[in-house]
Short mmCIF file of all heavy atoms in Angstrom, two decimals:
data_model
loop_
_atom_site.label_atom_id
_atom_site.label_comp_id
_atom_site.label_asym_id
_atom_site.label_seq_id
_atom_site.Cartn_x
_atom_site.Cartn_y
_atom_site.Cartn_z
N ASN A 260 150.65 90.10 192.37
CA ASN A 260 151.77 90.39 191.48
C ASN A 260 151.78 89.60 190.23
O ASN A 260 152.08 90.16 189.08
CB ASN A 260 153.11 90.10 192.20
CG ASN A 260 153.65 91.31 192.95
OD1 ASN A 260 153.13 92.39 192.82
ND2 ASN A 260 154.77 91.09 193.67
N GLU A 261 151.48 88.29 190.22
CA GLU A 261 151.40 87.46 189.06
C GLU A 261 150.38 88.06 188.16
O GLU A 261 150.58 88.02 186.84
CB GLU A 261 151.12 86.00 189.42
CG GLU A 261 152.28 85.36 190.10
CD GLU A 261 151.92 84.00 190.56
OE1 GLU A 261 150.90 83.45 190.18
OE2 GLU A 261 152.83 83.38 191.25
N ALA A 262 149.18 88.40 188.65
CA ALA A 262 148.17 88.93 187.78
C ALA A 262 148.56 90.25 187.17
O ALA A 262 148.41 90.48 185.90
CB ALA A 262 146.87 89.12 188.64
N LYS A 263 149.22 91.12 187.83
CA LYS A 263 149.70 92.34 187.39
C LYS A 263 150.79 92.15 186.26
O LYS A 263 150.83 92.81 185.23
CB LYS A 263 150.22 93.25 188.39
CG LYS A 263 149.08 93.89 189.24
CD LYS A 263 149.55 94.76 190.35
CE LYS A 263 148.40 95.23 191.19
NZ LYS A 263 148.75 96.07 192.34
N ASP A 264 151.69 91.10 186.57
CA ASP A 264 152.71 90.80 185.55
C ASP A 264 152.16 90.39 184.24
O ASP A 264 152.58 90.66 183.15
CB ASP A 264 153.72 89.71 186.14
CG ASP A 264 154.67 90.33 187.15
OD1 ASP A 264 154.73 91.49 187.29
OD2 ASP A 264 155.23 89.49 187.93
N ALA A 265 151.10 89.55 184.33
CA ALA A 265 150.40 89.03 183.24
C ALA A 265 149.77 90.16 182.41
O ALA A 265 149.74 90.23 181.17
CB ALA A 265 149.36 87.97 183.57
N GLN A 266 149.16 91.00 183.15
CA GLN A 266 148.52 92.25 182.53
C GLN A 266 149.52 93.15 181.86
O GLN A 266 149.35 93.61 180.76
CB GLN A 266 147.71 93.02 183.59
CG GLN A 266 146.99 94.22 183.05
CD GLN A 266 146.17 94.93 184.04
OE1 GLN A 266 146.39 94.83 185.29
NE2 GLN A 266 145.27 95.82 183.60
N ILE A 267 150.71 93.34 182.50
CA ILE A 267 151.72 94.15 181.95
C ILE A 267 152.27 93.47 180.60
O ILE A 267 152.48 94.15 179.59
CB ILE A 267 152.88 94.31 182.92
CG1 ILE A 267 152.46 95.25 184.05
CG2 ILE A 267 154.18 94.81 182.23
CD1 ILE A 267 153.40 95.41 185.17
N GLN A 268 152.41 92.21 180.69
CA GLN A 268 152.87 91.48 179.47
C GLN A 268 151.94 91.62 178.31
O GLN A 268 152.33 91.84 177.11
CB GLN A 268 153.13 89.87 179.82
CG GLN A 268 153.72 89.12 178.67
CD GLN A 268 155.09 89.80 178.25
OE1 GLN A 268 155.97 89.95 179.03
NE2 GLN A 268 155.26 89.97 176.92
N LYS A 269 150.64 91.43 178.60
CA LYS A 269 149.56 91.68 177.62
C LYS A 269 149.58 93.05 177.05
O LYS A 269 149.55 93.14 175.72
CB LYS A 269 148.19 91.39 178.25
CG LYS A 269 147.08 91.51 177.29
CD LYS A 269 145.73 91.39 178.01
CE LYS A 269 144.65 91.72 177.04
NZ LYS A 269 143.29 91.86 177.68
N LEU A 270 149.77 94.05 177.84
CA LEU A 270 149.83 95.45 177.34
C LEU A 270 151.11 95.62 176.54
O LEU A 270 151.05 96.34 175.43
CB LEU A 270 149.83 96.35 178.59
CG LEU A 270 148.36 96.48 179.24
CD1 LEU A 270 148.53 97.30 180.50
CD2 LEU A 270 147.30 97.01 178.38
N GLN A 271 152.21 95.03 176.92
CA GLN A 271 153.46 95.15 176.15
C GLN A 271 153.29 94.59 174.77
O GLN A 271 153.74 95.09 173.70
CB GLN A 271 154.66 94.59 176.95
CG GLN A 271 155.11 95.46 178.12
CD GLN A 271 156.18 94.82 178.89
OE1 GLN A 271 156.27 93.57 178.96
NE2 GLN A 271 156.92 95.62 179.65
N ASP A 272 152.59 93.40 174.78
CA ASP A 272 152.34 92.69 173.48
C ASP A 272 151.45 93.47 172.56
O ASP A 272 151.72 93.71 171.34
CB ASP A 272 151.71 91.34 173.67
CG ASP A 272 152.62 90.38 174.36
OD1 ASP A 272 153.91 90.61 174.39
OD2 ASP A 272 152.20 89.28 174.86
N GLU A 273 150.42 94.19 173.27
CA GLU A 273 149.60 94.98 172.42
C GLU A 273 150.29 96.24 171.86
O GLU A 273 150.10 96.67 170.75
CB GLU A 273 148.32 95.51 173.32
CG GLU A 273 147.37 94.52 173.58
CD GLU A 273 146.22 94.94 174.51
OE1 GLU A 273 146.06 96.17 174.72
OE2 GLU A 273 145.51 94.14 175.10
N ILE A 274 151.23 96.87 172.65
CA ILE A 274 152.03 97.92 172.18
C ILE A 274 152.88 97.56 171.01
O ILE A 274 153.04 98.27 170.04
CB ILE A 274 152.89 98.53 173.38
CG1 ILE A 274 151.96 99.28 174.35
CG2 ILE A 274 153.96 99.47 172.84
CD1 ILE A 274 152.65 99.65 175.66
N ALA A 275 153.50 96.35 171.11
CA ALA A 275 154.32 95.86 169.99
C ALA A 275 153.49 95.73 168.80
O ALA A 275 153.96 96.00 167.67
CB ALA A 275 154.98 94.54 170.52
N MET A 276 152.34 95.14 168.92
CA MET A 276 151.40 94.93 167.70
C MET A 276 151.09 96.32 167.18
O MET A 276 151.05 96.56 165.92
CB MET A 276 150.21 94.19 168.10
CG MET A 276 150.49 92.67 168.45
SD MET A 276 151.26 91.80 167.10
CE MET A 276 150.05 91.84 165.85
N LYS A 277 150.77 97.30 167.97
CA LYS A 277 150.44 98.62 167.49
C LYS A 277 151.61 99.31 166.78
O LYS A 277 151.46 99.91 165.74
CB LYS A 277 149.98 99.56 168.62
CG LYS A 277 148.62 99.11 169.32
CD LYS A 277 147.49 99.24 168.35
CE LYS A 277 146.23 98.79 169.04
NZ LYS A 277 145.13 98.74 168.13
N ASP A 278 152.89 99.00 167.33
CA ASP A 278 154.06 99.60 166.69
C ASP A 278 154.25 99.01 165.31
O ASP A 278 154.52 99.70 164.37
CB ASP A 278 155.31 99.27 167.52
CG ASP A 278 155.40 100.16 168.70
OD1 ASP A 278 154.68 101.16 168.76
OD2 ASP A 278 156.20 99.91 169.69
N LEU A 279 153.91 97.62 165.20
CA LEU A 279 154.05 97.02 163.87
C LEU A 279 152.96 97.57 162.82
O LEU A 279 153.25 97.82 161.74
CB LEU A 279 153.83 95.49 163.96
CG LEU A 279 154.96 94.70 164.60
CD1 LEU A 279 154.57 93.24 164.73
CD2 LEU A 279 156.18 94.78 163.64
N GLU A 280 151.77 97.76 163.42
CA GLU A 280 150.75 98.39 162.54
C GLU A 280 151.14 99.74 162.11
O GLU A 280 150.93 100.09 160.95
CB GLU A 280 149.46 98.47 163.27
CG GLU A 280 148.75 97.18 163.52
CD GLU A 280 147.42 97.21 164.38
OE1 GLU A 280 146.99 98.35 164.53
OE2 GLU A 280 147.05 96.22 164.98
N LEU A 281 151.79 100.54 163.00
CA LEU A 281 152.17 101.92 162.60
C LEU A 281 153.24 101.91 161.55
O LEU A 281 153.28 102.65 160.57
CB LEU A 281 152.66 102.71 163.81
CG LEU A 281 151.55 103.17 164.78
CD1 LEU A 281 152.28 103.79 166.01
CD2 LEU A 281 150.66 104.19 164.02
N GLU A 282 154.23 100.93 161.72
CA GLU A 282 155.31 100.85 160.74
C GLU A 282 154.65 100.42 159.34
O GLU A 282 155.16 100.94 158.31
CB GLU A 282 156.26 99.74 161.24
CG GLU A 282 157.18 100.19 162.33
CD GLU A 282 158.12 99.12 162.84
OE1 GLU A 282 158.46 98.17 162.03
OE2 GLU A 282 158.50 99.18 163.96
N GLU A 283 153.71 99.48 159.37
CA GLU A 283 153.09 99.15 158.09
C GLU A 283 152.33 100.33 157.45
O GLU A 283 152.47 100.53 156.15
CB GLU A 283 152.10 97.99 158.29
CG GLU A 283 152.67 96.68 158.65
CD GLU A 283 151.67 95.58 158.94
OE1 GLU A 283 150.46 95.84 158.97
OE2 GLU A 283 152.11 94.50 159.36
N ILE A 284 151.70 101.17 158.25
CA ILE A 284 151.01 102.38 157.73
C ILE A 284 151.96 103.22 157.15
O ILE A 284 151.82 103.89 156.09
CB ILE A 284 150.09 102.95 158.84
CG1 ILE A 284 148.89 102.10 159.15
CG2 ILE A 284 149.73 104.34 158.44
CD1 ILE A 284 148.19 102.46 160.39
#
């Protein structure tokens, strides 16, 4: 569960970064 939680957090961070990139574009 801890490993999956860490992976989920990483993916959520990546999504947030992609959203920022899209907003900049």
Side-chain angles (χ1 to χ4, degrees):
N260 267 355
E261 288 176 11
K263 287 178 182 178
D264 286 345
Q266 185 179 14
I267 287 169
Q268 185 60 50
K269 179 184 171 191
L270 291 171
Q271 287 174 336
D272 292 344
E273 287 178 15
I274 288 171
M276 291 301 296
K277 295 295 181 186
D278 285 345
L279 285 175
E280 289 176 19
L281 285 174
E282 287 178 24
E283 289 175 2
I284 292 170

